[in-house]
Amino acid sequence: MPAQRTLLLITASSPAIRRVRRSRVLNFQQITMPYLAAFVPPEWKVIHIDEEVSPIDITIAVDLVGITFHTPSAFHVYDLAAQFRKRGIPVALGGPHVTLMPEEAQAHADVIFVGEAELQWPQFLRDFEIGRHMHRYCSTAVPALNAVPMARKELYHRRDFTGGRLFATRGCPHACDFCAVAVMYQRKVRARPVAAVAAEYASFPGKVVIFWDDNLASDREYAKALFQSIAPYRKWWSSQVTIQAGKDAEFLEWAAKSGCKQLFIGLESISQQSMNGVRKGFNRVEEYVRVIEHIHEHGIAVQAGIVFGFDQDTESIFIETLDFLESAGVQNATFNILTPYPGTPLYQRLEREGRILTRDWSKYNGREDVVFQPRHMSPETLLEGYRYANQRFYSGTSLYRRLIRSPVGLWWTLPLNLAYALALRSARQDAAADRGELLVRCASRRSSLESVSAINASKTRSTRG
Ligand code: B12
């Protein structure tokens, strides 16, 4: 019988990204490592460390280390890898940043995985066992997902207020300039068999489930079949879709019947020019209000994904966006600073235009740093506008305006909003203490943003006659 080998899987999160994410009340579990563990032969002992939960003991005795990470944790991961490799322990790297920047990652690892790894990861483990592994495994074709295993539940160890997280589909048919998914998954949308997804959904003991899909509505017929088969379990779920799903009454009816409580929708911007400018023109801004109302009519809350910093954005975008979110009665929002992830068309364009300000990947966090030169404002204004948006959205007045307008799911959206407001306040205080800044800065910026908006509003009124 072969000696048991130990594999350490790491879900990496750098100290900086952990600080950035402190204000997120729902610190969701990452599925990648518990899922990849399900492909590992039973002779291996598998340990999973999620850095959002516990630090890594660099002296741990293991035979192999595998790490998954996003761009902002890249330098931290290279440092970790160097420490393991110094001890003679081979390190395998994979995930979005490796797929987007393989040459860089290769310099820090014994083996890298470019693209999806359903076929290459088991192949590598077989090669490793006989001492003949390659240094790079590339997925040449996107894998079918018709026989993939369930993630190993005993390897999740972060509390995130959900009872389960899984994926049903992978990929998105669109190719928005700022999104890494189109580059990573070659725009090929695939789905797991409905019965397999329903079985995994049912297997979670908890009530709340998140589908970590890029766009659960990519294939709406599939989605409806899925909703019909999960409805009997009477759980509550949430997922990400595009605005098109919000126009489809049958989709929404089945989603609601099957327990959908919230849909995350990448509205991105209330500027149509901004949407057209990044190849997301299928988001029709004039339809936003109606689509949001339509979703609300089905008793489903809306979490809006908003990005600031597009080339067509001017200083008035912050106030106008917040006015919109309040008047539309949006329950939750995630604000992001536009971040050109390497490998995306957005990054390539900004690089050509000489507008990339730093290649320090730790600043590519979308929340604390501006890494490119915006076209119509300074990086400082973009950052302050982003902070203003968060502060205003989670202020008592905004909360009242939004939730009175559409009290969908008030019993959970109200406490969640309050929790975000508190988390944001404490993160802000910590950050201000870190930077030695006075909190009043944002307040004064708010009044200057408001005067810009007032000027713009009066200009618009006068041009409209
Ligand atoms: C769910 C999700 C989250 C969740 C949970 C984290 C997670 N990744 O699960 C939350 C909300 C917390 C989150 C946070 C963030 N996210 Co996110 N997230 C996603 C999403 C929608 C799905 C990820 C997922 O579960 N996929 C399913 C698993 C099975 O696939 P996978 O991780 O890609 O792994 C496969 C391969 O990549 C490979 N693989 C991956 N790692 C490894 C490692 C080894 C050793 C091997 C062998 C193989 C391998 O094998 C797997 C099977 O094929 C993706 C979009 C996407 N489809 O990737 C964005 C995405 C990964 N996120 C992104 C970003 C930007 C972020 C944030 C930086 C956002 C922010 N500003 O805070 C943070 C960073 C958090 C952190 N700790 O670093 C970007 C990444 C861009 C980049 N260059 O890194 C993506 C691609 C979204 C996008 N549209 O561009 N995210």
Side-chain angles (χ1 to χ4, degrees), residues 66 69 127 190 304 352 399 455:
F69 60 102
D127 296 348
R190 285 136 296 144
R352 274 197 309 274
L399 213 150
I455 295 164

Side-chain angles (χ1 to χ4, degrees), residues 170-334:
R170 185 179 291 168
C172 176
H174 304 292
C176 310
D177 280 355
F178 54 90
C179 181
V181 168
V183 188
M184 287 160 54
Y185 298 146
Q186 304 164 33
R187 294 175 71 185
K188 304 253 169 55
V189 182
R190 285 136 296 144
R192 295 171 64 194
V194 165
V197 179
E200 184 162 7
Y201 184 87
S203 74
F204 295 114
K207 178 90 175 161
V208 182
V209 177
I210 311 260
F211 283 99
W212 272 150
D213 289 46
D214 300 308
N215 175 6
L216 188 59
S218 288
D219 175 346
R220 275 180 263 159
E221 288 314 309
Y222 170 87
K224 286 173 209 165
L226 177 66
F227 300 161
Q228 288 172 18
S229 72
I230 61 174
Y233 302 111
R234 306 182 67 79
K235 292 179 188 287
W236 298 331
W237 63 266
S238 171
S239 190
Q240 181 169 233
V241 294
T242 59
I243 194 156
Q244 285 134 331
K247 298 187 212 166
D248 182 336
E250 204 188 342
F251 175 94
L252 292 176
E253 257 160 49
W254 272 105
K257 273 191 207 151
S258 65
C260 177
K261 293 287 168 230
Q262 173 162 278
L263 289 172
F264 180 104
I265 300 189
L267 295 182
E268 322 298 3
S269 179
I270 58 153
S271 152
Q272 188 63 51
Q273 289 97 321
S274 294
M275 290 293 79
N276 298 345
V278 288
R279 289 200 288 170
K280 195 160 182 174
F282 62 86
N283 263 16
R284 304 303 307 165
V285 172
E286 76 268 13
E287 295 174 348
Y288 284 4
V289 169
R290 180 63 206 120
V291 170
I292 292 168
E293 273 171 7
H294 195 208
I295 297 171
H296 286 163
E297 280 158 17
H298 289 80
I300 299 172
V302 170
Q303 171 151 16
I306 301 288
V307 180
F308 294 120
F310 293 113
D311 274 1
Q312 295 73 12
D313 288 356
T314 59
E315 281 200 29
S316 61
I317 192 72
F318 307 106
I319 300 223
E320 286 165 8
T321 303
L322 269 289
D323 288 349
F324 166 79
L325 293 173
E326 287 170 2
S327 66
V330 165
Q331 285 77 14
N332 292 298
T334 304

Side-chain angles (χ1 to χ4, degrees), residues 21-26 390-391 393-396 399 402 413-431 439:
R21 295 197 60 77
R22 230 168 13 199
S23 65
R24 308 307 299 167
V25 175
L26 304 179
N390 272 293
Q391 286 177 43
F393 191 82
Y394 292 108
S395 68
L399 213 150
R402 291 184 287 109
T413 53
L414 181 60
L416 186 64
N417 269 267
L418 291 172
Y420 267 117
L422 284 175
L424 200 71
R425 177 183 296 212
S426 86
R428 217 164 50 226
Q429 280 165 351
D430 291 354
L439 280 173

Side-chain angles (χ1 to χ4, degrees), residues 346-356 359:
L346 176 67
Y347 184 92
Q348 285 154 5
R349 178 167 63 78
L350 292 177
E351 192 173 45
R352 274 197 309 274
E353 293 172 1
R355 292 166 63 198
I356 298 288
R359 286 172 185 79

